[in-house]
Amino acid sequence: MPTQLVQQEEQLLEAVKAGREDKVRALLSSGCRLEAVDADGRTALHWACHYGHLAILCLLLSHTPAAFTPPPDSQPCPSCALSLRLNNDAKEKQSVRNLKGEFKTPEHGGGSLNSEGDAETLDNDDGLGGSGEKSLVHKNHHVQARKGPCTCVSRLTAHEVNRRDTKGHTPLHVACNYRRDDVAAFLVTLPSCDINAADKAGNTPLHRAIHADLHTLACLLCDAGADVTATNSQLRTPLHEAIRSGNHDVIRTLIARGCDVNAVTSSMAATTPFLTAIFYHRISSRSLQCGQALDTTLRLLIEAGCRLSEGDYQWTPLSATIDIDRSFIASLLLFNGCRVQRAYSDERKHSHNLNQLLPSSYSRSLLVEAFSRCESHVVKLLVLCGYQPTPEEVEQCSRRIPSFSPLFYRISTSERAATRAKTQLLHWLGQRASSTCTLMELSRTAVRTALNHAAGDTSILKRVPHLPLPSAMRHYVGLSDFTEILML
């Protein structure tokens, strides 16, 4: 490669980085190639997206090499084919006239060629004047201008706009990574831009846009047809990224576009979107706003049809929500028909087939944890959904009620009320532990379990009204007494 050409390519990359549009225009006019890459495999388009130089990006994409020819494995578009044939005919006839001394200047009605070699006007005796193919080529170019760039040039643009660097990033990836939403939005509108291109880590532009919390761009990508079920090398979907950022608008958009709300990450973590939201809540500040945002996210997933009992090696959705004291979501899971396990384990075997669990050497009582961390209605729902308390568990619950002096109760009225509520709940649990379940309660548990299996471990609320039972029995099976508590 000539040294001067190499220097021009290096100057082009530096001019793009510096945002010098005049320098870029001069280099392109002098014949500098767009294919120039640096040590990281980045082209001028990559760097224009990196620094957010939208004007330079448009200049680069609109540049067409003077000696451009279509790829050998494809045919030129009809407009280019006709133009090429007319130009070749015009050049051949011009050469013949020059040899014969018959060439006439344009002033005298002869033929001429413009700077790009296109036929402008030809003598009528050439058979191409006034009408016929001359008017056809002008018409074709006019139609092509309305439709966009020539399809032959679009092949070149598609090759450059989708070129990857050493990390597999396209210019669209780069624009998303560096939060250049205006540049990324422009690239998305290009028909030749591959909006589902995956880098070496498997991330698509939608992954990166959501990770960068570019809400508008993420919605634009979804509207443009981005794959909302795409997975990266860790099997994380765009929904996992949206849950990490906590953007409810993006989550709603992905759900509306048909994303998989039950997608499981790689086998090392095996985390569903539901448990992903809880994980990021654990490592956050756990403020009141974070808790309310988590409740909104988890409720969206439940309403979208996520599996209510599928967990990872350690947690199920119910045990995880109880552990972080999210009483509303724990109640919502029970109300919607999640499966009730007697204990949750620190050593879980995960199965993609609806969370089949194996016993472990160490486990904690789900009832005792709910009694210690959550509100009273969670414990009641847990028992009414089929959990049978034991005297040992009631004894453990009694140890979780704090004991304070009468003086402290006089100072703190709220603590006195909470202790009274816990004492009443403990008395109710003692009665449940000392008696057996009634036939109606056993029937309710059996019906709700069957509905859970029929619904594929999703919400049973839509199936309860269709049960062939009297209205009072349907209300009993659906636990309608708790509807007001859950604000459903």
Side-chain angles (χ1 to χ4, degrees):
M1 184 180 294
T3 305
Q4 183 179 1
L5 183 59
V6 173
Q7 291 178 348
Q8 282 185 339
E9 293 175 352
E10 293 177 353
Q11 291 174 1
L12 177 63
L13 294 177
E14 294 301 323
V16 171
K17 293 178 185 179
R20 297 188 55 186
E21 184 178 352
D22 54 344
K23 181 69 173 178
V24 172
R25 191 182 301 276
L27 289 169
L28 293 177
S29 300
S30 64
C32 184
R33 302 186 313 156
L34 284 178
E35 295 84 351
V37 296
D38 59 9
D40 295 325
R42 288 193 169 189
T43 64
L45 289 181
H46 285 93
W47 287 113
C49 294
H50 179 105
Y51 289 103
H53 300 320
L54 182 58
I56 293 179
L57 178 65
C58 295
L59 177 62
L60 294 172
L61 291 175
S62 62
H63 172 68
T64 305
F68 172 72
T69 56
D73 58 342
S74 61
Q75 297 296 326
C77 67
S79 178
C80 287
L82 181 58
S83 298
L84 182 63
R85 183 165 62 86
L86 291 176
N87 291 337
N88 290 338
D89 291 344
K91 290 178 181 178
E92 182 179 353
K93 291 175 182 178
Q94 177 183 346
S95 300
V96 172
R97 288 174 183 163
N98 287 338
L99 291 175
K100 294 181 178 181
E102 297 176 354
F103 181 76
K104 300 179 182 179
T105 61
E107 317 52 48
H108 295 87
S112 66
L113 296 174
N114 60 15
S115 59
E116 297 180 357
D118 292 334
E120 288 184 345
T121 56
L122 296 173
D123 282 343
N124 291 337
D125 58 356
D126 292 330
L128 299 173
S131 59
E133 289 183 317
K134 173 193 164 187
S135 59
L136 180 62
V137 67
H138 282 223
K139 178 181 178 181
N140 282 349
H141 276 296
H142 185 62
V143 172
Q144 192 67 38
R146 292 202 308 266
K147 293 182 178 180
C150 166
T151 54
C152 294
V153 179
S154 295
R155 294 190 185 100
L156 175 68
T157 304
H159 175 68
E160 290 302 319
V161 82
N162 296 316
R163 175 171 286 206
R164 303 171 184 269
D165 60 12
T166 55
K167 294 182 179 180
H169 293 159
T170 64
L172 182 56
H173 280 98
V174 174
C176 294
N177 289 340
Y178 291 92
R179 300 178 58 84
R180 311 298 184 185
D181 50 353
D182 54 341
V183 174
F186 170 75
L187 291 174
V188 171
T189 60
L190 297 178
S192 55
C193 182
D194 185 4
I195 60 175
N196 290 315
D199 59 17
K200 290 187 176 180
N203 292 308
T204 64
L206 184 58
H207 281 92
R208 304 312 303 166
I210 297 175
H211 183 83
D213 201 18
L214 300 175
H215 165 221
T216 304
L217 178 61
C219 294
L220 180 62
L221 284 166
C222 291
D223 293 338
D227 185 7
V228 297
T229 62
T231 57
N232 60 15
S233 58
Q234 296 179 341
L235 301 184
R236 295 175 66 89
T237 64
L239 181 60
H240 286 92
E241 294 293 339
I243 287 174
R244 183 202 62 82
S245 63
N247 194 318
H248 298 140
D249 292 332
V250 175
I251 294 174
R252 290 187 180 93
T253 301
L254 293 174
I255 290 175
R257 296 289 178 179
C259 69
D260 185 4
V261 294
N262 296 306
V264 180
T265 57
S266 60
S267 58
M268 293 298 295
T271 307
T272 61
F274 194 100
L275 293 179
T276 297
I278 295 178
F279 169 78
Y280 283 109
H281 176 76
R282 290 180 189 273
I283 63 177
S284 66
S285 61
R286 296 200 186 188
S287 62
L288 178 61
Q289 292 78 10
C290 290
Q292 293 173 346
L294 176 66
D295 288 353
T296 302
T297 299
L298 297 181
R299 184 169 185 170
L300 286 173
L301 293 175
I302 293 174
E303 293 174 349
C306 76
R307 287 193 281 268
L308 306 177
S309 309
E310 183 173 4
D312 57 12
Y313 290 101
Q314 183 174 2
W315 305 101
T316 64
L318 180 59
S319 64
T321 51
I322 289 176
D323 186 73
I324 61 174
D325 189 15
R326 302 314 305 170
S327 297
F328 172 75
I329 297 300
S331 302
L332 201 61
L333 287 169
L334 291 167
F335 187 79
N336 280 269
C338 75
R339 301 174 187 176
V340 177
Q341 304 290 339
R342 285 205 56 83
Y344 62 94
S345 157
D346 287 330
E347 299 173 359
R348 280 189 189 271
K349 290 293 184 71
H350 174 73
S351 171
H352 293 281
N353 186 16
L354 298 181
N355 195 43
Q356 298 174 352
L357 302 178
L358 296 178
S360 65
S361 58
Y362 172 73
S363 62
R364 293 173 289 173
S365 169
L366 191 63
L367 179 68
V368 175
E369 293 298 320
F371 183 88
S372 304
R373 301 175 185 273
C374 299
E375 299 176 14
S376 299
H377 66 268
V378 177
V379 179
K380 290 185 177 181
L381 263 175
L382 184 62
V383 174
L384 293 177
C385 287
Y387 192 103
Q388 179 62 30
T390 63
E392 292 78 12
E393 289 175 323
V394 175
E395 176 64 24
Q396 293 179 27
C397 290
S398 66
R399 299 173 185 173
R400 302 297 180 98
I401 300 178
S403 299
F404 299 103
S405 65
L407 178 61
F408 179 81
Y409 283 135
R410 293 176 187 174
I411 300 174
S412 178
T413 306
S414 60
E415 288 293 339
R416 181 172 55 185
T419 302
R420 185 183 298 112
K422 289 289 186 182
T423 303
Q424 294 174 353
L425 179 61
L426 183 64
H427 179 70
W428 182 79
L429 287 175
Q431 291 179 338
R432 299 286 305 192
S434 60
S435 61
T436 58
C437 294
T438 64
L439 181 60
M440 287 186 62
E441 291 174 342
L442 290 174
S443 300
R444 176 173 59 192
T445 302
V447 171
R448 290 178 65 88
T449 302
L451 289 176
N452 176 272
H453 283 284
D457 197 31
T458 60
S459 176
I460 66 173
L461 296 184
K462 294 182 179 180
R463 295 175 178 264
V464 171
H466 300 288
L467 290 173
L469 297 172
S471 176
M473 287 297 296
R474 288 198 299 269
H475 287 297
Y476 181 76
V477 171
L479 297 172
S480 301
D481 294 340
F482 289 88
T483 302
E484 192 173 319
I485 297 177
L486 299 174
M487 297 178 293
L488 294 176

PDB file of all heavy atoms in Angstrom, residues 360-377:
ATOM      1  N   SER A 360     -32.151 -30.959  51.451  1.00  0.00           N
ATOM      2  CA  SER A 360     -30.785 -30.605  51.783  1.00  0.00           C
ATOM      3  C   SER A 360     -30.557 -30.787  53.267  1.00  0.00           C
ATOM      4  O   SER A 360     -31.485 -31.017  54.046  1.00  0.00           O
ATOM      5  CB  SER A 360     -30.497 -29.153  51.387  1.00  0.00           C
ATOM      6  OG  SER A 360     -31.286 -28.290  52.164  1.00  0.00           O
ATOM      7  N   SER A 361     -29.306 -30.676  53.680  1.00  0.00           N
ATOM      8  CA  SER A 361     -28.950 -30.916  55.067  1.00  0.00           C
ATOM      9  C   SER A 361     -29.312 -29.744  55.961  1.00  0.00           C
ATOM     10  O   SER A 361     -29.448 -29.913  57.169  1.00  0.00           O
ATOM     11  CB  SER A 361     -27.444 -31.192  55.160  1.00  0.00           C
ATOM     12  OG  SER A 361     -26.722 -30.096  54.638  1.00  0.00           O
ATOM     13  N   TYR A 362     -29.472 -28.547  55.383  1.00  0.00           N
ATOM     14  CA  TYR A 362     -29.770 -27.376  56.205  1.00  0.00           C
ATOM     15  C   TYR A 362     -30.913 -26.607  55.572  1.00  0.00           C
ATOM     16  O   TYR A 362     -30.906 -26.311  54.395  1.00  0.00           O
ATOM     17  CB  TYR A 362     -28.550 -26.460  56.298  1.00  0.00           C
ATOM     18  CG  TYR A 362     -28.855 -25.139  56.968  1.00  0.00           C
ATOM     19  CD1 TYR A 362     -29.077 -25.063  58.340  1.00  0.00           C
ATOM     20  CD2 TYR A 362     -28.953 -23.976  56.219  1.00  0.00           C
ATOM     21  CE1 TYR A 362     -29.366 -23.851  58.943  1.00  0.00           C
ATOM     22  CE2 TYR A 362     -29.235 -22.760  56.814  1.00  0.00           C
ATOM     23  CZ  TYR A 362     -29.437 -22.711  58.180  1.00  0.00           C
ATOM     24  OH  TYR A 362     -29.725 -21.514  58.769  1.00  0.00           O
ATOM     25  N   SER A 363     -31.915 -26.296  56.366  1.00  0.00           N
ATOM     26  CA  SER A 363     -33.060 -25.550  55.840  1.00  0.00           C
ATOM     27  C   SER A 363     -33.671 -24.746  56.966  1.00  0.00           C
ATOM     28  O   SER A 363     -33.522 -25.066  58.145  1.00  0.00           O
ATOM     29  CB  SER A 363     -34.102 -26.496  55.226  1.00  0.00           C
ATOM     30  OG  SER A 363     -34.610 -27.364  56.210  1.00  0.00           O
ATOM     31  N   ARG A 364     -34.387 -23.696  56.575  1.00  0.00           N
ATOM     32  CA  ARG A 364     -35.071 -22.836  57.523  1.00  0.00           C
ATOM     33  C   ARG A 364     -36.557 -22.878  57.242  1.00  0.00           C
ATOM     34  O   ARG A 364     -36.981 -23.029  56.111  1.00  0.00           O
ATOM     35  CB  ARG A 364     -34.543 -21.403  57.415  1.00  0.00           C
ATOM     36  CG  ARG A 364     -33.095 -21.239  57.860  1.00  0.00           C
ATOM     37  CD  ARG A 364     -32.613 -19.845  57.568  1.00  0.00           C
ATOM     38  NE  ARG A 364     -32.443 -19.631  56.137  1.00  0.00           N
ATOM     39  CZ  ARG A 364     -32.153 -18.444  55.600  1.00  0.00           C
ATOM     40  NH1 ARG A 364     -32.052 -17.380  56.372  1.00  0.00           N
ATOM     41  NH2 ARG A 364     -31.999 -18.336  54.314  1.00  0.00           N
ATOM     42  N   SER A 365     -37.331 -22.703  58.303  1.00  0.00           N
ATOM     43  CA  SER A 365     -38.780 -22.764  58.165  1.00  0.00           C
ATOM     44  C   SER A 365     -39.291 -21.508  57.466  1.00  0.00           C
ATOM     45  O   SER A 365     -39.006 -20.381  57.877  1.00  0.00           O
ATOM     46  CB  SER A 365     -39.421 -22.904  59.542  1.00  0.00           C
ATOM     47  OG  SER A 365     -40.815 -22.704  59.461  1.00  0.00           O
ATOM     48  N   LEU A 366     -40.060 -21.716  56.403  1.00  0.00           N
ATOM     49  CA  LEU A 366     -40.632 -20.590  55.671  1.00  0.00           C
ATOM     50  C   LEU A 366     -41.639 -19.845  56.544  1.00  0.00           C
ATOM     51  O   LEU A 366     -41.739 -18.614  56.489  1.00  0.00           O
ATOM     52  CB  LEU A 366     -41.307 -21.110  54.407  1.00  0.00           C
ATOM     53  CG  LEU A 366     -41.740 -20.076  53.368  1.00  0.00           C
ATOM     54  CD1 LEU A 366     -40.540 -19.341  52.815  1.00  0.00           C
ATOM     55  CD2 LEU A 366     -42.513 -20.743  52.245  1.00  0.00           C
ATOM     56  N   LEU A 367     -42.365 -20.589  57.363  1.00  0.00           N
ATOM     57  CA  LEU A 367     -43.358 -19.963  58.237  1.00  0.00           C
ATOM     58  C   LEU A 367     -42.701 -19.069  59.289  1.00  0.00           C
ATOM     59  O   LEU A 367     -43.147 -17.948  59.540  1.00  0.00           O
ATOM     60  CB  LEU A 367     -44.202 -21.041  58.926  1.00  0.00           C
ATOM     61  CG  LEU A 367     -45.276 -20.538  59.892  1.00  0.00           C
ATOM     62  CD1 LEU A 367     -46.377 -19.816  59.130  1.00  0.00           C
ATOM     63  CD2 LEU A 367     -45.854 -21.678  60.707  1.00  0.00           C
ATOM     64  N   VAL A 368     -41.615 -19.544  59.886  1.00  0.00           N
ATOM     65  CA  VAL A 368     -40.931 -18.763  60.917  1.00  0.00           C
ATOM     66  C   VAL A 368     -40.327 -17.499  60.318  1.00  0.00           C
ATOM     67  O   VAL A 368     -40.385 -16.416  60.925  1.00  0.00           O
ATOM     68  CB  VAL A 368     -39.848 -19.624  61.598  1.00  0.00           C
ATOM     69  CG1 VAL A 368     -39.044 -18.792  62.602  1.00  0.00           C
ATOM     70  CG2 VAL A 368     -40.477 -20.811  62.299  1.00  0.00           C
ATOM     71  N   GLU A 369     -39.763 -17.608  59.118  1.00  0.00           N
ATOM     72  CA  GLU A 369     -39.196 -16.429  58.467  1.00  0.00           C
ATOM     73  C   GLU A 369     -40.284 -15.420  58.114  1.00  0.00           C
ATOM     74  O   GLU A 369     -40.099 -14.212  58.280  1.00  0.00           O
ATOM     75  CB  GLU A 369     -38.425 -16.845  57.205  1.00  0.00           C
ATOM     76  CG  GLU A 369     -37.184 -17.667  57.478  1.00  0.00           C
ATOM     77  CD  GLU A 369     -36.163 -16.899  58.303  1.00  0.00           C
ATOM     78  OE1 GLU A 369     -35.974 -15.702  58.063  1.00  0.00           O
ATOM     79  OE2 GLU A 369     -35.564 -17.518  59.206  1.00  0.00           O
ATOM     80  N   ALA A 370     -41.414 -15.892  57.643  1.00  0.00           N
ATOM     81  CA  ALA A 370     -42.521 -14.982  57.324  1.00  0.00           C
ATOM     82  C   ALA A 370     -43.057 -14.318  58.590  1.00  0.00           C
ATOM     83  O   ALA A 370     -43.401 -13.131  58.591  1.00  0.00           O
ATOM     84  CB  ALA A 370     -43.635 -15.744  56.613  1.00  0.00           C
ATOM     85  N   PHE A 371     -43.128 -15.069  59.694  1.00  0.00           N
ATOM     86  CA  PHE A 371     -43.590 -14.516  60.960  1.00  0.00           C
ATOM     87  C   PHE A 371     -42.637 -13.436  61.459  1.00  0.00           C
ATOM     88  O   PHE A 371     -43.072 -12.410  62.016  1.00  0.00           O
ATOM     89  CB  PHE A 371     -43.712 -15.645  61.997  1.00  0.00           C
ATOM     90  CG  PHE A 371     -44.256 -15.214  63.325  1.00  0.00           C
ATOM     91  CD1 PHE A 371     -45.618 -15.198  63.564  1.00  0.00           C
ATOM     92  CD2 PHE A 371     -43.407 -14.809  64.341  1.00  0.00           C
ATOM     93  CE1 PHE A 371     -46.125 -14.792  64.789  1.00  0.00           C
ATOM     94  CE2 PHE A 371     -43.898 -14.410  65.574  1.00  0.00           C
ATOM     95  CZ  PHE A 371     -45.258 -14.391  65.792  1.00  0.00           C
ATOM     96  N   SER A 372     -41.328 -13.632  61.240  1.00  0.00           N
ATOM     97  CA  SER A 372     -40.329 -12.700  61.761  1.00  0.00           C
ATOM     98  C   SER A 372     -40.214 -11.441  60.917  1.00  0.00           C
ATOM     99  O   SER A 372     -39.969 -10.355  61.454  1.00  0.00           O
ATOM    100  CB  SER A 372     -38.961 -13.386  61.837  1.00  0.00           C
ATOM    101  OG  SER A 372     -39.029 -14.563  62.603  1.00  0.00           O
ATOM    102  N   ARG A 373     -40.394 -11.564  59.595  1.00  0.00           N
ATOM    103  CA  ARG A 373     -40.046 -10.454  58.702  1.00  0.00           C
ATOM    104  C   ARG A 373     -41.252  -9.748  58.105  1.00  0.00           C
ATOM    105  O   ARG A 373     -41.167  -8.555  57.813  1.00  0.00           O
ATOM    106  CB  ARG A 373     -39.162 -10.975  57.559  1.00  0.00           C
ATOM    107  CG  ARG A 373     -37.862 -11.618  58.028  1.00  0.00           C
ATOM    108  CD  ARG A 373     -37.107 -12.214  56.837  1.00  0.00           C
ATOM    109  NE  ARG A 373     -35.929 -12.946  57.240  1.00  0.00           N
ATOM    110  CZ  ARG A 373     -34.720 -12.403  57.431  1.00  0.00           C
ATOM    111  NH1 ARG A 373     -34.564 -11.109  57.249  1.00  0.00           N
ATOM    112  NH2 ARG A 373     -33.703 -13.148  57.793  1.00  0.00           N
ATOM    113  N   CYS A 374     -42.341 -10.455  57.896  1.00  0.00           N
ATOM    114  CA  CYS A 374     -43.436  -9.895  57.097  1.00  0.00           C
ATOM    115  C   CYS A 374     -44.633  -9.533  57.964  1.00  0.00           C
ATOM    116  O   CYS A 374     -44.663  -9.776  59.168  1.00  0.00           O
ATOM    117  CB  CYS A 374     -43.859 -10.897  56.026  1.00  0.00           C
ATOM    118  SG  CYS A 374     -42.548 -11.313  54.850  1.00  0.00           S
ATOM    119  N   GLU A 375     -45.621  -8.983  57.307  1.00  0.00           N
ATOM    120  CA  GLU A 375     -46.848  -8.604  57.977  1.00  0.00           C
ATOM    121  C   GLU A 375     -47.712  -9.836  58.244  1.00  0.00           C
ATOM    122  O   GLU A 375     -47.512 -10.906  57.652  1.00  0.00           O
ATOM    123  CB  GLU A 375     -47.607  -7.582  57.134  1.00  0.00           C
ATOM    124  CG  GLU A 375     -46.827  -6.290  56.898  1.00  0.00           C
ATOM    125  CD  GLU A 375     -47.562  -5.330  55.990  1.00  0.00           C
ATOM    126  OE1 GLU A 375     -48.777  -5.554  55.758  1.00  0.00           O
ATOM    127  OE2 GLU A 375     -46.943  -4.364  55.516  1.00  0.00           O
ATOM    128  N   SER A 376     -48.690  -9.667  59.111  1.00  0.00           N
ATOM    129  CA  SER A 376     -49.478 -10.809  59.583  1.00  0.00           C
ATOM    130  C   SER A 376     -50.255 -11.487  58.463  1.00  0.00           C
ATOM    131  O   SER A 376     -50.410 -12.719  58.452  1.00  0.00           O
ATOM    132  CB  SER A 376     -50.441 -10.359  60.685  1.00  0.00           C
ATOM    133  OG  SER A 376     -49.740  -9.842  61.790  1.00  0.00           O
ATOM    134  N   HIS A 377     -50.764 -10.715  57.500  1.00  0.00           N
ATOM    135  CA  HIS A 377     -51.589 -11.326  56.464  1.00  0.00           C
ATOM    136  C   HIS A 377     -50.785 -12.278  55.575  1.00  0.00           C
ATOM    137  O   HIS A 377     -51.356 -13.177  54.957  1.00  0.00           O
ATOM    138  CB  HIS A 377     -52.287 -10.257  55.612  1.00  0.00           C
ATOM    139  CG  HIS A 377     -51.345  -9.415  54.798  1.00  0.00           C
ATOM    140  ND1 HIS A 377     -50.834  -8.230  55.250  1.00  0.00           N
ATOM    141  CD2 HIS A 377     -50.848  -9.589  53.548  1.00  0.00           C
ATOM    142  CE1 HIS A 377     -50.058  -7.701  54.324  1.00  0.00           C
ATOM    143  NE2 HIS A 377     -50.048  -8.514  53.287  1.00  0.00           N
TER     144      HIS A 377
END
